[in-house]
Amino acid sequence: MASTVTAEVTGLGIAQDKDGRGMDALTHRRIIEGDWESEGIVTGLAATANPGKGMSWHIAEGVAVTKRSDADGMAVVYWPGGDVTGETGGDEARTDFLWIRQLDAAQGDSSNRVEAGISTGPTGTGDVGDVSRYMPTGAVCLGIVYVGAGVTQSEDDDFSDGQDYAARRGVSQGLARGGHEWLNTTNRRKVRKGESWTFSTANVSVATQTRCVLVMMAVSVWADDCETKDWMGSGYVELLLDGVVQQCFKFSCTPYVTETKTFFWTLDLAKGGHTVAARLWGSGSDLVSSVVTQYEAGSIPGQYMRVIDLGGVG
């Protein structure tokens, strides 16, 4: 018979043994970590200013996944909703950070409660880089707050994105995170033969190691200035990642009759920020022609791109 070995831990859903060994807190956090690729907001936790209450912000009810270190696993925490108060503006404008974290008395904290707060950040409003430098250990960022010089009252207009969002391991997240230009409704723009026009750009943020995305693209065009065949032209649609062409699609089209052409491709994106773009060309090779864009609400879609997260890779 082959030998076996056991560990002094117990699986989730299994009781501790008679000696109290089994589902300790660290094992529980390690199991939770197996289900999540990154810490962050799961649901809720939106921040709004409290009028008439100084530098006070209300953090709505919600759930987050938190992580103190790679060796500590992850915790899933619930916040019932409540207010936090920051400092008034000083002589210079600055950037502050709203956050939530799980306390752990076994690791030196004052209690085992969930805590939300606001940390004073650097002066100025430029790129702050790694925001974790300005928050307590294990905190998840809920948003960025601009604090103007001498300001004494919080305002919703001073709150900006900057939230961290949790991602389940290997699961599709739907629309990729970031700012996107899905639809370009420019009508009757001529993209001349041998020239290009970038009609859509997405700034995508990947919070986990590697994720696969599906890029859907469409153009509504007709041919113009046909050279090699009187009643036939063509163009190209290119897909670019961080400025580098990943795939090119050639299509044919006819003069003055609008046709909608659709394309799709998959990309593997590493952790960090990326730019995905779609570019339309008039064709400089047979079938040589310019292309003219068309849009009409309800019948002619125009130029379109959408980036869809399909899940983790590997």
Side-chain angles (χ1 to χ4, degrees):
M1 179 179 176
S3 64
T4 62
V5 62
T6 60
E8 295 297 318
V9 295
T10 296
L12 187 63
I14 304 299
Q16 293 180 335
D17 62 22
K18 60 183 178 62
D19 297 318
R21 293 173 298 190
M23 185 49 67
D24 60 279
L26 178 58
T27 302
H28 202 158
R29 294 195 299 271
R30 291 277 178 81
I31 292 173
I32 292 171
E33 185 179 31
D35 198 33
W36 295 90
E37 285 192 87
S38 67
E39 63 271 36
I41 298 168
V42 177
T43 185
L45 301 175
T48 51
N50 283 320
K53 294 186 178 181
M55 302 301 291
S56 176
W57 294 86
H58 180 75
I59 299 175
E61 178 184 18
V63 175
V65 175
T66 66
K67 179 179 181 179
R68 297 174 74 105
S69 69
D70 289 340
D72 195 56
M74 294 178 173
V76 178
V77 305
Y78 167 73
W79 172 254
D83 296 343
V84 298
T85 302
E87 297 180 9
T88 57
D91 294 335
E92 297 183 61
R94 69 171 191 270
T95 303
D96 287 354
F97 306 95
L98 287 166
W99 48 264
I100 188 173
R101 67 169 178 159
Q102 173 65 61
L103 301 178
D104 186 354
Q107 299 188 65
D109 294 330
S110 59
S111 71
N112 288 335
R113 299 188 181 278
V114 176
E115 180 180 60
I118 183 168
S119 292
T120 300
T123 57
T125 57
D127 183 15
V128 296
D130 181 9
V131 302
S132 65
R133 295 177 297 165
Y134 307 103
M135 300 187 301
T137 299
V140 166
C141 185
L142 304 180
I144 298 172
V145 177
Y146 168 75
V147 181
V151 168
T152 59
Q153 173 61 53
S154 60
E155 300 286 347
D156 286 336
D157 289 345
D158 295 332
F159 181 83
S160 64
D161 293 338
Q163 298 93 334
D164 294 325
Y165 287 93
R168 283 196 178 272
R169 195 170 301 280
V171 175
S172 170
Q173 299 295 308
L175 300 182
R177 303 171 187 169
H180 309 80
E181 182 183 302
W182 301 131
L183 177 62
N184 191 308
T185 60
T186 301
N187 200 8
R188 300 186 66 85
R189 174 171 182 144
K190 180 183 285 192
V191 183
R192 299 184 181 277
K193 48 192 120 177
E195 297 181 358
S196 68
W197 172 48
T198 300
F199 62 83
S200 191
T201 301
N203 298 309
V204 177
S205 176
V206 177
T208 59
Q209 194 61 35
T210 307
R211 299 192 76 80
C212 181
V213 298
L214 173 67
V215 185
M216 309 292 292
M217 297 167 289
V219 293
S220 298
V221 296
W222 49 265
D224 197 13
D225 306 323
C226 298
E227 283 190 14
T228 48
K229 292 184 174 57
D230 288 343
W231 283 92
M232 187 63 70
S234 66
Y236 297 85
V237 168
E238 288 179 330
L239 172 63
L240 298 90
L241 174 62
D242 298 327
V244 178
V245 175
Q246 303 297 305
Q247 185 60 42
C248 181
F249 305 86
K250 186 171 185 177
F251 61 88
S252 60
C253 53
T254 55
Y256 315 118
V257 178
T258 303
E259 301 176 53
T260 298
K261 308 291 184 176
T262 59
F263 315 92
F264 67 90
W265 201 250
T266 57
L267 300 172
D268 290 344
L269 304 185
K271 184 176 182 178
H274 299 278
T275 300
V276 180
R279 185 162 65 189
L280 174 65
W281 287 80
S283 181
S285 60
D286 195 24
L287 309 159
V288 177
S289 78
S290 304
V291 290
V292 179
T293 66
Q294 290 290 104
Y295 171 78
E296 185 175 321
S299 58
I300 302 176
Q303 287 55 246
Y304 173 90
M305 183 182 76
R306 177 156 286 194
V307 183
I308 301 171
D309 184 325
L310 297 181
V313 176

